[in-house]
Amino acid sequence: MTRQFSSTGEFRSELRAWLADVDLAPGQNDSLDAQLAQLARVRRALFDAGWMRYGWPEAVGGLGGPAILRAVLGEEVATRDLAEPGIYSMIEVLGPTMISYARPELAAEMVPRLLDGTEQWCQGFSEPGSGSDLASLTTKAVARGDDWVISGQKVWTSLAQYASRCVLLTRTDPTLPRHEGITAFFVDMDSPGITVRPLRTMHGVDEFAEVYFDDVVVPGDRMLGHPGDGWRVAMDLLPYERSSCFWHRIAHLYTRLDRLLAEIGTPAGHVVAATPTETAHQALSYASKTAAADSNATHRTAEHRPPAVTDAPFPQRANRGETVEPPAPREPDQPKNPTADRTTPVTETASLATEPDETSTDHTTPVSQTGTLATEPDKTSTDHTTPVSQTTSLATQPDDPTADHTTPVTETGSLGSEPDDYDLGAAYLALHTLRCRSRRTQLRLAEGAQLGPDTSIDKVLLATAEQQLFDTVRDLRPGVLELDETPWRAEFLYSRAATIYGGTAEVQRNIIARRLLDLGKE
């Protein structure tokens, strides 16, 4: 399969048609071993069909095209629960690093193994005394002829026990300022002297490990970049973690909100919507009534919604230092045919349109302040079968009192109760705000923008939205997490780490305060 696509919408449409014809559903076993086997299976199928190769350079086995196609692919995989998004998305962190810093011959040899599922890689950054303060790392690499000898310890290394390779940060010159004496290597995990000890987390999975390096010999041609480039490698890796990886994670979180709405939408003895998607729409209709209580709410029109991806052409990528001119303002969306089929999943409503959203030019402000979130209901659509993962706006006006939303009886304590409405609406808004912000980050990266400390906003929004969603699950499903053997429990417990992994919330807020708001060090 080798062809060119004129837009992400065309790519997504054909990808969905292909996914509908193949069976990549995971089995019933949800152990970590089974998840890794499923991941390899999905990658191999996508690679053999060509989908995994789009968005990657031809020099490393790709088929070319904009990198944004990789984000669309990961979103479709996450929406269908074909692979756990955290481990699937590691490809987006480590692949670009190899392409940018490894010798071209090494990248051409290794990256296809990652893309096709043959190998899993890990990232050796954090240490027992160097987490958020990464520049204080002490794992050392000493030159010995053409080789380097590495000694030290890493911790919280995801999936190290499954990894064939590791992108490893070391200190090669302790006499230099701490950011300047760091060098990155691409290390074979079966090298003599490497010991991996898995760590059991509170959600019962050995996802992390501590890794010991005892005089591990690494060839000099496995250095990524040059001596002292390690900090730059780490900083260049960060935008990919906070763009494509976050986009995949957000798609996954929307599926969890849909699941919650389906579970709480059928109180015993009462007739409610027939499908989970209808239940999702009902819950958001109720939540909109809570939002309507704000008498100062600003009415915004459909033109403020993030544009859909369907007909958007690919953006022109600017060279570094160049400015990408925004397109001319678009005409407001035309009313939709109320009889049209709306059963297609709409993970595209705040999705990867490939042209900038001209309603906002400030890339450091959370989307909730840019006017990107439409707060007026879409009066052109009457179909209530759209999943929550495809809804772009929450109405702030009360629903038509004559409309039949098949509202559950409020006395049952179900969706009609105001506390539940508020919790569901707040969880949805947190996710939607995050998605809009992430969309902006994706488009900036596609335009060739250099991402920097402003991605700390994305990280704070992700951690907040993820924890708020699973707090809502706990509150609206009382006793389930604590007493039942349910997948919700592991996901709730994992969400507690959202304010820690990828940079703690406290550090991210400090970065925002000091580097974006210029509030000083104290």
Side-chain angles (χ1 to χ4, degrees), residues 85-386:
I87 59 177
Y88 174 90
S89 297
M90 289 183 71
I91 193 173
E92 291 295 335
V93 176
L94 301 177
T97 300
M98 284 293 293
I99 294 170
S100 297
Y101 289 96
R103 292 180 298 106
E105 299 82 5
L106 182 62
E109 176 188 0
M110 294 296 176
V111 172
R113 301 183 188 181
L114 184 64
L115 296 179
D116 68 12
T118 301
E119 294 184 355
Q120 178 72 32
W121 298 351
C122 65
Q123 177 181 325
F125 282 21
S126 296
E127 298 182 4
S130 304
S132 296
D133 185 16
L134 184 60
S136 65
L137 64 86
T138 59
T139 294
K140 65 180 180 180
V142 178
R144 188 176 71 185
D146 292 334
D147 300 327
W148 291 81
V149 180
I150 298 175
S151 300
Q153 179 187 356
K154 296 295 180 178
V155 74
W156 309 124
T157 306
S158 297
L159 307 177
Q161 68 271 39
Y162 298 95
S164 302
R165 326 283 172 185
C166 179
V167 175
L168 181 69
L169 291 186
T170 67
R171 187 164 300 283
T172 50
D173 192 341
T175 66
L176 292 175
R178 60 183 197 162
H179 291 85
E180 298 176 15
I182 299 173
T183 302
F185 292 91
F186 187 64
V187 180
D188 295 334
M189 288 296 287
D190 60 357
S191 301
I194 296 180
T195 303
V196 178
R197 295 178 181 172
L199 298 172
R200 175 61 56 94
T201 63
M202 69 177 179
H203 72 304
V205 179
D206 298 340
E207 180 178 340
F208 303 108
E210 50 187 356
V211 185
Y212 296 88
F213 298 85
D214 296 311
D215 296 330
V216 177
V217 178
V218 178
D221 61 5
R222 288 299 191 89
M223 183 181 292
L224 299 180
H226 302 286
D229 279 351
W231 187 255
R232 187 155 62 94
V233 170
M235 294 302 100
D236 283 358
L237 176 150
L238 197 61
Y240 293 101
E241 180 179 287
R242 294 184 178 172
S243 56
S244 299
C245 293
F246 280 16
W247 190 258
H248 302 165
R249 186 71 184 167
I250 295 164
H252 170 75
L253 293 176
Y254 268 109
T255 68
R256 278 16 190 192
L257 181 55
D258 279 335
R259 179 197 291 176
L260 171 63
L261 292 166
E263 289 184 5
I264 67 176
T266 53
H270 294 280
V271 178
V272 294
T275 67
T277 53
E278 289 173 340
T279 304
H281 185 89
Q282 282 185 347
L284 293 179
S285 295
Y286 299 138
S288 71
K289 298 176 184 179
T290 302
D294 182 2
S295 59
N296 295 320
T298 301
H299 300 275
R300 302 187 178 99
T301 61
E303 64 182 330
H304 293 300
R305 297 183 194 133
V309 78
T310 309
D311 299 317
F314 291 139
Q316 296 297 317
R317 183 182 178 93
N319 296 323
R320 291 188 178 181
E322 295 183 0
T323 301
V324 177
E325 292 295 332
R330 295 188 305 275
E331 292 298 323
D333 295 339
Q334 295 299 314
K336 301 174 184 177
N337 180 357
T339 64
D341 180 8
R342 308 190 196 283
T343 59
T344 303
V346 195
T347 33
E348 304 169 353
T349 53
S351 67
L352 288 178
T354 55
E355 88 179 351
D357 181 356
E358 58 271 16
T359 62
S360 171
T361 57
D362 181 3
H363 303 320
T364 63
T365 305
V367 172
S368 57
Q369 300 173 11
T370 64
T372 306
L373 281 180
T375 54
E376 183 174 10
D378 182 357
K379 302 181 179 63
T380 64
S381 174
T382 58
D383 184 5
H384 301 320
T385 61
T386 305

Side-chain angles (χ1 to χ4, degrees), residues 467-487:
Q467 291 189 348
Q468 184 167 1
L469 171 61
F470 288 102
D471 286 347
T472 303
V473 173
R474 177 198 60 201
D475 294 342
L476 299 189
R477 301 278 284 150
V480 170
L481 269 66
E482 297 85 353
L483 303 176
D484 294 350
E485 292 298 327
T486 171

Side-chain angles (χ1 to χ4, degrees), residues 34-45:
Q35 289 182 32
L36 268 293
Q38 171 68 7
L39 174 65
R41 173 181 172 238
V42 169
R43 282 184 180 168
R44 168 55 70 180

